[in-house]
Amino acid sequence: MSVETSPVVLITGASSGIGQAAAHLFVERGWHVAATMRNPSDGTAQAEHQRVLVLPLDVTDPASVEAAIAATLEHFSRIDVVVNNAGYGLFGPFETATDEQIRRQFATNVDGIFTVTRAVLPAMRRQGSGMIINVASIGGLITLPFFSLYHATKFAVVGFTESLSFELAPRGIRAKVIAPSEVDTNFSGRSLVRTFVEGEHAYSDTLSKIMAAMNARRGNYSSAALVAETIFTAATDGTDRVMYVAGSDAEQAFTLLHSLSEAERLEMIRQLSGL
Ligand SMILES: NC(=O)c1ccc[n+]([C@@H]2O[C@H](COP(=O)([O-])OP(=O)(O)OC[C@H]3O[C@@H](n4cnc5c(N)ncnc54)[C@H](OP(=O)(O)O)[C@@H]3O)[C@@H](O)[C@H]2O)c1
């Protein structure tokens, strides 16, 4: 396929997990991929593929966002889809979160999406087509204890995307949101930032129950490849659907969620959390 005929996707946070799996899948399906990441040396293997352009992009650094989008347009002439995937989780008691932790969580998971989206929209409007796919979370629809700030960012992404979808549709641009359930990536390892120091806060009794429940669920996580398939479906199904849940149990969880009363939903969360 030539540069002119293959669609082009730009993915943020393509160094690992869902972003890396999505980059892999899109290139496998014949797309051109701008695989962006904070440290391009993490993408050395991806850069060997002739349809992949690895670029530095930190979503909290607007200059790097502008530069990566300009470089993608220069190289591939267009951007059909942006996958706003970069993000991480802040975990622990809200009370012990620092101002800097809160600022960084929103700067990455929310403002980062705003920055990338605003930077790419002029090109998509000129093209008369395009798509913004934002990776939120099932945690943008339902909560677990001790993830209050992470949920605040993901609920924001869900609301932002749905509203944006109406605004962009007349310009030929779609906005979609992916809500993965728990996925086997670096998210629960190096991408989980704690607001607490073990034993030095007032929430140890409940927090230890939540951590035990989280560890017990770990074997049931979905693969990043499965979420990448959902992202690819969103990019290519030609529909105006906005919300895509992703993961082996996500559809059932989503259906169940909407069938419960508030009391039932809160009880389900308590049970899931071991409270
Ligand atoms: N795993 C789950 O259970 C799960 C569930 C629902 C939603 N999600 C969402 O899925 C997305 C991807 O997470 P993942 O599970 O694939 O975890 P991951 O393997 O830890 O990947 C996170 C990615 O985000 C990148 N990133 C973090 N801060 C960034 C910044 N300021 N600028 C650019 N890139 C940045 C990381 O880059 P570095 O390599 O440079 O750190 C990494 O590539 C996140 O938005 C997450 O909230 C994950």
Side-chain angles (χ1 to χ4, degrees):
M1 277 186 212
S2 72
V3 170
E4 289 71 32
T5 56
S6 294
V8 180
V9 60
L10 181 148
I11 303 170
T12 66
S15 64
S16 83
I18 295 168
Q20 188 181 57
H24 186 75
L25 185 66
F26 276 88
V27 80
E28 198 180 280
R29 304 269 162 95
W31 286 52
H32 286 103
V33 177
T36 74
M37 55 195 76
R38 284 192 285 198
N39 301 308
S41 58
D42 293 337
T44 308
Q46 298 181 58
E48 284 173 13
H49 200 290
Q50 59 165 2
R51 270 186 277 111
V52 178
L53 181 65
V54 172
L55 293 168
L57 189 161
D58 180 333
V59 297
T60 65
D61 172 5
S64 80
V65 171
E66 291 287 351
I69 286 171
T72 305
L73 289 169
E74 166 85 23
H75 193 80
F76 293 128
S77 308
R78 56 187 294 115
I79 299 178
D80 297 287
V81 175
V82 163
V83 180
N84 281 313
N85 159 78
Y88 72 95
L90 191 57
F91 169 64
F94 168 71
E95 186 183 330
T96 51
T98 65
D99 286 347
E100 177 53 21
Q101 284 178 325
I102 296 171
R103 192 201 61 76
R104 231 191 110 228
Q105 176 76 131
F106 277 82
T108 306
N109 291 11
V110 183
D111 301 359
I113 289 182
F114 297 164
T115 304
V116 173
T117 303
R118 268 196 305 178
V120 78
L121 281 178
M124 288 184 172
R125 269 194 305 98
R126 278 195 301 274
Q127 291 167 188
S129 68
M131 190 184 298
I132 308 292
I133 299 181
N134 294 329
V135 179
S137 169
I138 203 87
L141 304 165
I142 187 169
T143 69
L144 287 175
F146 296 108
F147 280 98
S148 58
L149 292 160
Y150 178 69
H151 287 305
T153 66
K154 294 300 186 179
F155 272 69
V157 171
V158 170
F160 166 68
T161 311
E162 188 176 289
S163 174
L164 194 67
S165 71
F166 295 110
E167 185 175 322
L168 297 181
R171 309 273 87 81
I173 303 167
R174 291 187 170 116
K176 303 194 172 203
V177 64
I178 309 293
S181 55
E182 289 165 313
V183 191
D184 188 14
T185 64
N186 285 320
F187 182 81
S188 53
R190 72 176 171 88
S191 290
L192 205 60
V193 175
R194 295 176 174 212
T195 65
F196 61 98
V197 178
E198 210 87 56
E200 289 184 22
H201 58 89
Y203 296 86
S204 299
D205 51 348
T206 39
L207 189 52
S208 57
K209 288 183 188 167
I210 305 297
M211 290 171 78
M214 275 166 62
N215 285 333
R217 281 201 304 278
R218 206 151 278 184
N220 299 323
Y221 287 5
S222 301
S223 69
L226 193 64
V227 178
E229 281 288 354
T230 305
I231 294 172
F232 190 80
T233 298
T236 55
D237 68 7
T239 73
D240 293 328
R241 182 173 165 190
V242 173
M243 163 65 64
Y244 295 72
V245 289
S248 48
D249 53 357
E251 289 285 354
Q252 298 95 303
F254 189 63
T255 309
L256 176 68
L257 188 62
H258 286 92
S259 69
L260 298 177
S261 68
E262 184 191 79
E264 288 167 335
R265 186 169 54 80
L266 298 181
E267 183 51 31
M268 184 182 80
I269 294 170
R270 276 186 212 100
Q271 280 182 18
L272 263 177
S273 316
L275 291 181

